Amino acid sequence: MVVADLYRQMVVLLRSVFTDNVEFEVECLLKHYFKINSAGFTEHLRMKISYNQYQSCLELAKRRMAHEPLDYILGNSEFMGRLYDVGSGVLIPRSETELLVQEAQCVIPQFFSSAFMGIEFGFGSGIISIELALTFSDSSWLSFDISDEPVKVATKNAQRYDITSIDWKHMDFFESKSLWQDSDQLLFLVANPPYIPTKDLKLLHKSVKNHEPLIALDGGESGLVMYQNMFSLCQDNEFLICLECGINQSESIINFASEFGFRCLNKVFDYQQIPRVLTFTNQI
Ligand code: GLN
C-alpha cells in the first residue's frame, strides 16, 4: 500500500461525516503524520507505508470523525500569519481575534509613545500578548490565566518567537489588582474573555462544546459578567482597553462601561457585520 491509497481511504472516512474541506483536511493530517511540507506531498503519495503507519493515520481520521478540531490533532494553529502551538486546554484562535489584535496595534500608538505595560486577561495559547509584544518591542506584559494548561502552551509559544517580555501568571486576573494598581501610568488591557451565555453553550458546534475548554467560553448567565467585573476592577487606574465581545453584546457593554467611567472610542465590526471589538478608555 502507498500513501495515495491511504489518502483515498481517509477521504472516504471523513466524507461520511463532513461535506466540506475533506481533501484539505486529509492532506493536513498526512503531512502532519509524515512530517512533510506541501512541496513534498505529491511525491510522497507514491511512498510505500507500513501497517503501523496505516493504522496510526486511520486513528487520526477517526479522531477527526469524532469532531475533534483539526488544529488540536495537528497541535498547531495559524494566527496573524504565524504558527502557534495549541492543545485541548486552550481555545483555538478565531479569525475574529485577529481583529482584536489589529485594533490594539492601531490604537496603542495613539496613546503610548514608547514603553507601556500591557495586561491580558485569559491568555489561553498566548497569541494576543505575543503578537502585541512582537509589534511593540518596548512593551512589557503581565498576562493572566486561571487554568493550568495555558501557562505551558503560552510559554512554549513565546519561546518559539523569542519573546521574553511577557510574565505569564497562572492566577485569577480578578485577584491580580495588587500587582498593577500602584502604577501611575496609563495601562493597556486586552481580553478575549469568555462571553457565550451559559444557556447558549449547548448550541455550539460539537467540535467546540465537546473539545474546547468551556471555562474559556462560558460568560455566565448573560455572557456579560466578565466585562462588568473587568470595568469594576480597573476603574481606579487609568486604562486603555481593547475587548472582544459576542453577538448582541456591544451596547450593553458600552452602557455599563460608562457606569464605571469608561467611554467607548471605537467599535470594530467583523466579517458578519457583528460589532466584535470595542476600545475604551477612562483617561481624562
Ligand atoms: N468566538 C468564540 C466562539 O464562538 C467564543 C470566544 C469567547 O467566548 N471568548 O466559539
Side-chain angles (χ1 to χ4, degrees):
M1 179 178 272
V2 294
V3 178
D5 301 311
L6 176 59
Y7 173 87
R8 277 190 289 274
Q9 285 196 23
M10 288 169 72
V11 166
V12 171
L13 285 174
L14 258 61
R15 220 180 251 138
S16 67
V17 180
F18 303 104
T19 47
D20 296 332
N21 295 332
V22 167
E23 284 85 357
F24 168 78
E25 293 203 1
V26 171
E27 191 171 324
C28 289
L29 291 171
L30 288 172
K31 285 195 290 208
H32 164 72
Y33 180 78
F34 290 105
K35 299 188 174 50
I36 42 172
N37 57 26
S38 297
F41 188 68
T42 316
E43 179 75 13
H44 197 76
L45 287 171
R46 291 196 284 272
M47 298 276 289
K48 281 213 167 75
I49 53 167
S50 70
Y51 184 71
N52 271 351
Q53 289 174 324
Y54 172 73
Q55 284 297 336
S56 304
C57 287
L58 288 192
E59 224 26 73
L60 296 182
K62 282 183 191 144
R63 281 170 65 185
R64 185 65 192 116
M65 287 163 74
H67 295 278
E68 182 171 344
L70 182 68
D71 291 10
Y72 284 159
I73 303 175
L74 303 178
N76 58 54
S77 232
E78 200 184 305
F79 184 73
M80 303 289 290
R82 266 180 274 270
L83 215 54
Y84 286 99
D85 279 22
V86 292
S88 59
V90 300
L91 211 60
I92 293 170
R94 309 290 203 261
S95 58
E96 290 83 355
T97 305
E98 297 192 338
L99 299 175
L100 175 65
V101 170
Q102 285 161 356
E103 167 66 4
Q105 287 170 332
C106 191
V107 82
I108 285 171
Q110 298 167 21
F111 280 78
F112 301 96
S113 50
S114 60
F116 67 91
M117 156 87 112
I119 298 175
E120 183 178 1
F121 160 47
F123 55 75
S125 57
I127 52 171
I128 300 171
S129 293
I130 294 171
E131 285 294 329
L132 294 175
L134 283 165
T135 310
F136 301 103
S137 49
D138 285 339
S139 60
S140 55
W141 289 80
L142 265 181
S143 300
F144 298 93
D145 204 298
I146 198 168
S147 305
D148 296 331
E149 194 67 13
V151 186
K152 292 181 216 151
V153 178
T155 305
K156 214 164 152 211
N157 280 329
Q159 276 164 2
R160 185 197 278 251
Y161 295 109
D162 287 329
I163 290 294
T164 54
S165 51
I166 307 170
D167 190 354
W168 304 108
K169 296 275 188 206
H170 177 200
M171 67 183 278
D172 185 353
F173 169 63
F174 297 107
E175 304 288 327
S176 77
K177 194 165 176 170
S178 62
L179 300 181
W180 45 262
Q181 69 179 355
D182 293 339
S183 168
D184 52 6
Q185 308 283 309
L186 179 69
L187 297 168
F188 176 70
L189 172 71
V190 67
N192 171 20
Y195 57 65
I196 312 278
T198 307
K199 64 174 176 358
D200 294 345
L201 289 171
K202 60 178 184 304
L203 307 175
L204 295 175
H205 192 271
K206 270 186 229 166
S207 68
V208 179
K209 72 178 170 203
N210 295 347
H211 295 275
E212 298 205 61
L214 287 182
I215 190 171
L217 296 164
D218 187 350
E221 197 181 336
S222 62
L224 297 170
V225 57
M226 296 299 171
Y227 301 94
Q228 250 157 334
N229 294 346
M230 269 190 270
F231 291 118
S232 165
L233 188 77
C234 295
Q235 61 184 323
D236 301 325
N237 283 69
E238 280 197 328
F239 268 98
L240 173 67
I241 304 184
C242 289
L243 303 173
E244 182 175 323
C245 66
I247 188 163
N248 298 329
Q249 293 182 329
S250 64
E251 288 315 309
S252 313
I253 296 170
I254 291 169
N255 279 338
F256 47 66
S258 74
E259 286 166 25
F260 290 104
F262 288 88
R263 58 188 188 281
C264 181
L265 301 176
N266 295 325
K267 215 192 238 188
V268 180
F269 292 77
D270 71 10
Y271 317 103
Q272 302 176 71
Q273 296 310 316
I274 297 168
R276 185 61 74 179
V277 174
L278 303 172
T279 298
F280 297 90
T281 188
N282 59 350
Q283 195 185 43
I284 301 141

